[in-house]
């Protein structure tokens, strides 16, 4: 089975976010690009399926700073093939990303394409369903379990409140992964270093990055909260004493 | 072509989801500037009865056996046909397990622009989207002539989208729904849980800041000392550190405790939407800009590990 995992890199939200001088976009000059956390789950699910059914896992990522690390980490987790898509993806939206990746993924003869259900900077839809439509494949998102047999996949889709739907989806398909069946595995840095020596990254050129399908952004801003918490200050002992008082006042102690 | 605002009603097993009413409220804000009606679009099978309290000018009802339960393929085909025929000013979807399976696909299929994660509209037809875990808002003109929009909760109360009157219902033709690639086999009920966190009066909630599984014990000890129950945000559950029955958020439980004590939770929108009914939210976080402080009544900017054992000790001494 050919499994392709599409990875999107996103600015790390732990870093301070600033708006650029134009006022309508993020200033990404010093952004730290990390793997979208749901894509990490998609990768884990892909590796789990390979362990269960055999086959290969191909990981495709856009050429942004940090892409090599992400790809070699995937290799250390036992991904077979690493592809970096060349092009200026810094400001590329998901419509452009999906079109560019579909041109490349089309040639990979994938049975199953996995990607994260969403990313925190999805302003024009999510990469998975956009890609599915470019490839004319079915799409199901919010998936937290995948089994494959007889040319079709049986998936578990999450609804609010813990309800799950079991669905059958014809292969090939694109699935938006919410959570892998087990937490993404940890790999030691030494294993990643070893992967850097033993595996290689193929570089493929993106076709034209066509962003049509997004709305124009007039301005971006940081939300001003209607209210802010009353901050309790002091040493841990002082804060604890105040909290104990508060719990009593609120009738839970 | 029309200036109408269509709202794709989300429902599951005979229950209309709150996001549907939130979207109707958004559509009502948008429709005066657009100069059209608010139209609730209901897809289902023998499901007409669900259309009774929509704050809409009209309901369009699409009935077909393949629409009895949600599947992405059937909804996409039915809605692509409807949007192609009617060309409304905008179509609103939930940014949910239902809407997000459909909206992006239709954007690509129909060549229509998509606005994702919209929280509210302005009276002059601008959208305001919420991205980057709630830290950034993006505003723009609603794209013309037909815009697809996915909406998140928070901008409108569902009650604003409810009405005591039932709007008139018109049936709309459904295209052939054949060669479907996605089919529903069954629903799987949530695992029965030792506790129902949606009914607990005091919740000790932990997020990514708890760092590893061993530290869950710290939250357990605190919960025991005060008589509360431990719950968590998505990252903790995905790591398998607590069972799914303890998940608070979009894909977990909505909670309404007297006190919600949040440690190491930044306050991503998917979490916040499930805790707004809490009596009092108290948050502990190292990041002074964490969005959780915007909805908490009380806040402590401190490393939770400095605080939690001291607090547990003091509680034990009191009780």
């Amino acid at each position: 089975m050919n499994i392709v995992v599409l990875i999107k890199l996103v600015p790390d939200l732990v870093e301070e976010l600033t708006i650029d001088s134009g006022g309508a976009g993020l200033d990404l000059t010093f952004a730290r690009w990390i793997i979208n956390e749901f894509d990490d789950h998609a990768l884990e699910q892909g590796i789990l399926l390979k362990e269960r059914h055999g086959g290969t896992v191909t990981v495709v990522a856009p050429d942004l700073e940090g892409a090599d690390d992400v790809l070699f980490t995937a290799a250390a987790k036992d991904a077979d093939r690493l592809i970096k898509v060349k092009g200026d993806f810094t400001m590329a939206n998901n419509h452009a990303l999906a079109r560019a990746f579909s041109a490349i993924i089309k040639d990979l003869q994938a049975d199953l394409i996995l990607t994260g259900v969403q990313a925190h900077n999805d302003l024009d839809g999510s990469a998975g369903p956009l890609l599915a439509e470019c490839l004319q494949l079915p799409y199901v998102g919010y998936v937290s379990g995948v089994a494959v047999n007889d040319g079709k996949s049986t998936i578990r889709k999450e609804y609010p409140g813990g309800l799950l739907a079991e669905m059958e989806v014809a292969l090939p398909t694109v699935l938006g992964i919410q959570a892998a069946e087990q937490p993404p595995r940890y790999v030691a840095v030494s294993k990643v270093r070893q992967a850097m020596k033993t595996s290689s990254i193929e570089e493929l050129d993106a076709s034209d990055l066509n962003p049509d399908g997004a709305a124009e952004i007039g301005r971006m801003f940081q939300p001003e909260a209607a209210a802010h918490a009353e901050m309790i200050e002091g040493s841990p002992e002082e804060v604890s004493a105040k909290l104990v008082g508060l719990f009593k006042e609120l009738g839970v102690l | 072509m029309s200036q109408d605002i269509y709202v794709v009603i989300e429902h599951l097993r005979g229950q209309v989801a709150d996001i549907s009413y939130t979207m109707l409220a958004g559509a009502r804000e948008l429709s005066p500037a657009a100069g059209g009606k608010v139209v609730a679009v209901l897809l289902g099978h023998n499901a007409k009865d669900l259309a009774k309290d929509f704050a809409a000018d009209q309901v369009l009802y699409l009935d077909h056996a393949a629409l009895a339960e949600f599947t992405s393929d059937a909804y996409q085909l039915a809605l692509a046909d409807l949007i192609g025929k009617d060309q409304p000013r905008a179509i609103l979807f939930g940014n949910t397990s239902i809407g997000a399976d459909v909206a992006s696909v239709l954007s690509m299929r129909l060549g229509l622009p998509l606005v994702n994660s919209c929280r509210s509209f302005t009276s002059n037809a601008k959208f305001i989207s919420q991205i980057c875990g709630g830290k950034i808002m993006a505003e723009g003109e609603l794209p013309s002539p037909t815009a697809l929009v996915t909406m998140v909760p928070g901008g409108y109360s569902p009650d604003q989208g409810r009405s005591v009157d039932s709007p008139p219902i018109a049936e709309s033709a459904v295209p052939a729904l054949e060669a479907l690639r996605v089919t529903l086999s069954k629903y799987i009920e949530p695992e029965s849980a030792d506790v129902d966190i949606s009914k607990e009066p005091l919740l000790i909630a932990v997020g990514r800041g708890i760092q590893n599984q061993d530290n869950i014990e710290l939250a357990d000890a605190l919960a025991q000392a005060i008589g509360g129950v431990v719950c968590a945000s998505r990252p903790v559950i995905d790591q398998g550190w607590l069972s799914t029955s303890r998940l608070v958020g979009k894909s977990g439980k909505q909670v309404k405790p007297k006190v919600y004590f949040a440690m190491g939770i930044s306050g991503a929108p998917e979490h916040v939407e499930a805790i707004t009914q809490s009596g009092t939210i108290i948050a502990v976080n190292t990041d002074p800009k964490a969005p959780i402080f915007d909805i908490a009544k009380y806040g402590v900017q401190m490393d939770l590990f400095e605080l939690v054992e001291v607090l547990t000790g003091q509680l034990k001494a009191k009780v």
Side-chain angles (χ1 to χ4, degrees):
Chain A
M1 187 168 56
N2 271 335
I3 302 163
V4 172
V5 179
L6 162 61
I7 283 180
K8 190 179 145 169
L9 292 152
V10 293
D12 191 348
L13 288 185
V14 171
E15 312 276 312
E16 180 90 358
L17 292 171
T18 48
I19 312 290
D20 68 15
S21 56
L26 290 177
D27 183 351
L28 298 169
T29 324
F30 303 107
R32 201 167 85 89
W33 295 90
I34 57 166
I35 187 171
N36 168 33
E37 63 173 311
F38 297 107
D39 295 349
D40 207 14
H41 282 269
L43 173 62
E44 181 61 35
Q45 187 64 55
I47 300 286
L48 287 172
L49 287 168
K50 177 188 159 177
E51 287 171 352
R52 227 176 276 157
H53 302 286
T56 58
V57 173
T58 303
V59 183
V60 188
D63 183 14
L64 285 161
E65 206 176 316
D68 288 11
D69 278 350
V70 166
L71 288 168
F72 284 127
T73 303
K77 292 178 176 181
D78 209 20
D80 301 274
R81 202 175 154 192
L82 315 175
I83 296 176
K84 183 162 73 176
V85 184
K86 304 282 282 182
D88 185 4
F89 285 97
T90 317
M91 302 303 281
N93 65 23
N94 284 333
H95 280 76
L97 190 82
R99 290 188 182 104
F101 279 44
S102 71
I104 284 162
I105 291 174
K106 212 174 268 172
D107 294 334
L108 297 175
Q109 310 289 325
D111 300 300
L112 195 57
I113 299 161
L114 307 176
T115 191
V117 63
Q118 61 183 25
H120 69 63
N121 61 354
D122 286 345
L123 251 180
D124 62 324
S126 308
L130 290 168
L131 175 77
E133 186 60 18
C134 289
L135 295 167
Q136 308 249 298
L137 296 178
Y139 173 80
V140 178
Y142 289 76
V143 169
S144 61
V146 186
V148 176
N149 41 40
D150 298 335
K152 61 176 197 285
S153 57
T154 305
I155 62 97
R156 285 185 170 193
K157 177 178 176 65
E158 292 195 355
Y159 286 120
L163 180 71
L164 295 169
E166 189 178 288
M167 291 184 177
E168 294 207 336
V169 191
L171 295 179
T173 181
V174 180
L175 300 176
I177 303 295
Q178 166 85 46
E181 285 154 39
Q182 66 180 47
R185 65 195 66 197
Y186 170 79
V187 285
V189 179
S190 60
K191 252 193 118 185
V192 178
R193 279 210 203 97
Q194 198 184 340
M196 285 179 181
K197 288 181 196 143
T198 52
S199 37
S200 60
I201 294 175
E202 296 166 57
E203 297 193 347
L204 297 176
D205 283 319
S207 54
D208 190 23
L209 287 174
N210 172 2
D212 284 0
E216 199 174 319
I217 302 302
R219 74 177 179 119
M220 276 194 187
F221 56 98
Q222 290 172 326
E224 270 176 46
H228 193 272
E230 180 185 321
M231 299 307 280
I232 302 171
E233 301 189 349
S235 67
E237 289 71 21
E238 288 161 354
V239 169
S240 293
K242 287 178 193 166
L243 286 173
V244 171
L246 198 52
F247 288 139
K248 276 191 181 153
E249 206 177 290
L250 294 168
V252 289
L253 193 65
Chain B
M1 198 181 311
S2 81
Q3 293 302 309
D4 295 345
I5 311 298
Y6 281 22
V7 173
V8 179
I9 299 299
E10 297 199 356
H11 58 96
L12 210 52
R13 301 202 297 176
Q15 198 80 34
V16 176
D18 269 356
I19 190 70
S20 303
Y21 299 102
T22 302
M23 292 193 285
L24 287 167
R28 289 169 70 85
E29 170 115 60
L30 192 56
S31 65
K37 302 189 294 285
V38 172
V39 178
V41 180
L42 178 66
L43 289 76
H45 187 48
N46 301 326
K48 217 182 209 174
D49 289 352
L50 293 178
K52 49 178 186 286
D53 58 351
F54 300 153
D57 300 306
Q58 195 195 337
V59 177
L60 276 184
Y61 177 53
L62 283 71
D63 189 288
H64 193 289
L67 298 172
E69 305 291 336
F70 173 79
T71 61
S72 52
D73 243 21
Y75 262 56
Q76 288 158 10
L77 285 170
L79 287 167
D81 181 72
L82 179 74
I83 296 165
K85 282 190 302 204
D86 293 4
Q87 298 179 39
R89 178 69 187 88
I91 307 100
L92 313 186
F93 299 86
N95 189 2
T96 61
S97 195
I98 290 178
D101 270 16
V102 178
S104 293
V105 167
L106 292 180
S107 171
M108 217 34 119
R109 187 174 299 175
L110 303 173
L112 296 176
L114 172 62
V115 173
N116 201 41
S117 287
C118 173
R119 193 170 183 274
S120 60
F121 297 101
T122 66
S123 55
N124 55 352
K126 285 183 175 163
F127 65 84
I128 300 175
S129 284
Q130 171 180 276
I131 55 167
C132 297
K135 288 183 168 175
I136 299 286
M137 308 302 278
E139 183 190 89
E141 306 274 347
L142 193 70
S144 300
T146 296
L148 304 174
V149 180
T150 72
M151 292 197 72
V152 295
Y156 304 97
S157 135
D159 286 342
Q160 295 172 267
R162 284 197 176 90
S163 160
V164 284
D165 308 318
S166 301
I169 302 180
E171 295 220 13
S172 186
V174 183
L177 300 178
E178 289 162 355
L180 297 173
R181 302 164 297 180
V182 181
T183 51
L184 175 78
S185 308
K186 62 179 178 192
Y187 288 111
I188 301 164
E189 302 297 330
E191 324 160 12
S192 58
D194 49 339
V195 285
D196 182 353
I197 54 170
S198 66
K199 298 200 168 79
E200 289 293 322
L202 172 60
L203 292 173
I204 307 296
V206 291
R208 202 187 298 270
I210 198 79
Q211 290 180 4
N212 62 50
Q213 182 155 25
D214 293 343
N215 291 334
I216 299 287
E217 282 174 18
L218 297 172
D220 278 335
L222 174 60
Q224 262 182 17
I226 192 175
V229 165
V230 177
C231 60
S233 61
R234 184 96 214 185
V236 173
I237 305 294
D238 281 350
Q239 290 297 329
W241 300 340
L242 281 168
S243 84
T244 314
S245 63
R246 304 295 180 104
L247 173 60
V248 177
K250 184 176 173 180
S251 48
K253 288 250 166 75
Q254 306 267 329
V255 296
K256 39 184 192 314
K258 252 180 167 170
V259 175
Y260 190 79
F261 189 70
M263 299 192 292
I265 289 179
S266 67
E270 293 81 2
H271 186 75
V272 166
E273 71 176 68
I275 64 173
T276 50
Q277 306 286 313
S278 304
T280 304
I281 298 170
I282 306 172
V284 183
N285 205 294
T286 48
D287 177 6
K289 288 188 175 171
I292 191 84
F293 288 133
D294 297 336
I295 61 147
K297 178 104 190 283
Y298 300 98
V300 180
Q301 190 205 332
M302 190 178 282
D303 185 340
L304 73 93
F305 300 111
E306 282 177 29
L307 180 69
V308 66
E309 283 172 299
V310 179
L311 178 59
T312 304
Q314 288 196 11
L315 284 164
K316 275 186 184 158
K318 294 269 181 225
V319 179

